[in-house]
Amino acid sequence: MATSNPAFRNAAFGAPGAVATTKVLSDNDLQALYNSPSAGSQDTDRMTYEDTIGKTVLAFAILLAAAATAWVLTPVAPFLLILGAIGGLVLGLVNAFKKEPSPPLILAYAAMEGLFVGGISRVFEQIYAGVVTQAVLATLVVVGVTLALFSSGKIRASKKATKVFLIAMVGYAVFSLVNVGMMIFGATDGAFGMRSGSIEIAGFEIKLGLVIGILAVLMAAYSLVLDFDFIQKGVNNRAPRKYGWSGAFGIMVTVVWLYVELLRIFAIARE
């Protein structure tokens, strides 16, 4: 399956193959190998699930620490929210298009996203009390269910589904840009722009933002499937250990996107 993530264009993410060797081992060599401890990612310099999980946990720990800081300081230092939004966007694009993963840049991205998430969460919580708790719990549920379904083999990434996903993403990105532009230039007076509008479905009036939000959550869930699939391919094909950072970056981007979408859904439902 083709991917737009440059980090996974490495040959190790293609079809799996065995590593050949022409050296004949003696009985003593085989016994020494049998008695030696199992090699970890540091010894083999290969990508493993454990190493990728460790990198992901570290990235999220930095994100949460920055989010907690922004949550406390945003009322007196609102610029942190803007700094996090701009810094996260710039570093996200830089990391996405780098040929080789850069741990410092990925961790810096985690810090910027933490400032953004903490700041936007504090703003939403002040307006819609309790919405942050709802969004956090919903995010954990979506991530947990998606991981469980992927681990059990119930859902898998496919070429056809990925093409539909990419088309939907382009459409969603265009809508979001147009919506932001309309809000900036006063073309709409809704708190969430066009998302604040309503549509009628089967005789029921439903806010457009809820419909679009649910579709965005479904796209984010499939994006998680792609992230898990990329990591699985990297481990199975013995990709270099450094690509564990790419896996951590991909999951972090998707989870932040998912959380923001759910935060907005619960806020729109309160209007």
Side-chain angles (χ1 to χ4, degrees), residues 5 60 63 109 113 139 142-143 146 165 169 216-228 230 246-262:
N5 188 334
F60 272 101
L63 186 150
Y109 169 80
E113 283 296 273
T139 300
V142 173
V143 173
T146 304
F165 167 77
M169 279 295 297
V217 167
L218 292 176
M219 287 191 292
Y222 187 74
S223 182
L224 273 176
V225 172
L226 291 178
D227 294 332
F228 298 149
F230 292 151
S246 297
F249 171 70
I251 290 177
M252 185 166 46
V253 169
T254 303
V255 171
V256 169
W257 173 32
L258 175 63
Y259 170 75
V260 172
E261 290 294 345
L262 288 168

Side-chain angles (χ1 to χ4, degrees), residues 161-241:
T162 302
K163 288 180 180 179
V164 174
F165 167 77
L166 293 175
I167 293 172
M169 279 295 297
V170 171
Y172 179 75
V174 171
F175 167 81
S176 297
L177 289 174
V178 171
N179 188 49
V180 170
M182 292 179 66
M183 293 174 65
I184 292 175
F185 294 105
T188 175
D189 56 359
F192 297 95
M194 290 187 290
R195 296 174 191 266
S196 297
S198 300
I199 58 175
E200 188 172 321
I201 300 179
F204 295 95
E205 188 174 335
I206 300 176
K207 291 180 180 178
L208 181 61
L210 296 180
V211 177
I212 295 175
I214 291 173
L215 293 176
V217 167
L218 292 176
M219 287 191 292
Y222 187 74
S223 182
L224 273 176
V225 172
L226 291 178
D227 294 332
F228 298 149
D229 183 67
F230 292 151
I231 292 172
Q232 185 181 66
K233 281 184 171 64
V235 173
N236 291 342
N237 298 327
R238 305 180 70 239
R241 181 175 173 233

Side-chain angles (χ1 to χ4, degrees), residues 67-80 122:
T69 301
W71 176 277
V72 173
L73 298 180
T74 291
V76 295
F79 70 89
L80 290 176
R122 183 60 183 266

Side-chain angles (χ1 to χ4, degrees), residues 4-9 89-100 106 109 249 253:
S4 59
N5 188 334
F8 292 98
R9 291 176 188 167
L89 175 62
V90 173
L91 287 172
L93 291 174
V94 170
N95 281 303
F97 289 100
K98 277 184 64 65
K99 292 183 179 180
E100 301 289 336
I106 291 174
Y109 169 80
F249 171 70
V253 169

